[in-house]
Amino acid sequence: MRLRFLFLVCLISASRLSLCRKSVTASPVSKAAVVYVTGDVHTPTRVAMEGIGRLTVLEALELADGANPTANLHNAKIVRKGVNGPTEVLVDIRKIMQAKAPDVTLHAGDTLFVPHNASKSAGKLQNEYFYDVPLPGPLQGPNPIYNR
């Protein structure tokens, strides 16, 4: 019993030591060198720009595991921090995917926002949660329902 306890103590201290070493050697990423992907995507995420030459809207969307089926890809926007405050750049991701518009390059500090489409989710809600229950038999058999 004591041997097990000693083994667990050694195991916990070794894992704590390795965690401490990793946190000391890890290089911090500044907030300015990050692109955020938020909104109606599978995995809202942030992407570190270090080591990446350039990042486009489709690449950032891919890193967020794609958009949800209820996403409004026509009205996505990039929120870009500028000298005079944040500015919004409208992006039609659907046209980019159809090769009808060029893919937009994201800058460090940008936020790609994919909005939710309420009409898509209303249709999904109706089809997904409501269904018809068939009746077990005809409404009126040989005997009437109400006797008068």
Side-chain angles (χ1 to χ4, degrees), residues 62-143:
E62 177 188 351
L63 292 172
D65 295 331
N68 290 328
T70 56
N72 186 355
L73 297 177
H74 291 291
N75 295 322
K77 58 179 95 169
I78 299 170
V79 180
R80 187 166 284 160
K81 296 177 183 176
V83 179
N84 298 330
T87 58
E88 293 181 359
V89 179
L90 294 176
V91 178
D92 191 347
I93 297 175
R94 179 72 65 197
K95 283 187 178 180
I96 294 172
M97 292 170 74
Q98 295 171 349
K100 294 181 180 177
D103 202 356
V104 180
T105 303
L106 296 170
H107 301 202
D110 285 354
T111 301
L112 174 64
F113 176 72
V114 180
H116 180 75
N117 190 342
S119 64
K120 283 184 182 180
S121 63
K124 183 177 181 183
L125 178 74
Q126 183 179 10
N127 293 337
E128 191 172 297
Y129 297 110
F130 299 108
Y131 52 91
D132 292 332
V133 178
L135 296 173
L139 287 177
Q140 292 199 6
N143 300 326

Side-chain angles (χ1 to χ4, degrees), residues 3-39:
L3 187 60
R4 282 186 184 173
F5 178 74
L6 183 62
F7 175 74
L8 287 175
V9 169
C10 291
L11 186 65
I12 291 171
S13 6
S15 63
R16 280 186 158 181
L17 183 63
S18 66
L19 285 175
C20 291
R21 286 184 183 166
K22 285 181 184 176
S23 64
V24 170
T25 58
S27 61
V29 176
S30 69
K31 288 187 178 183
V34 174
V35 170
Y36 297 94
V37 183
T38 63

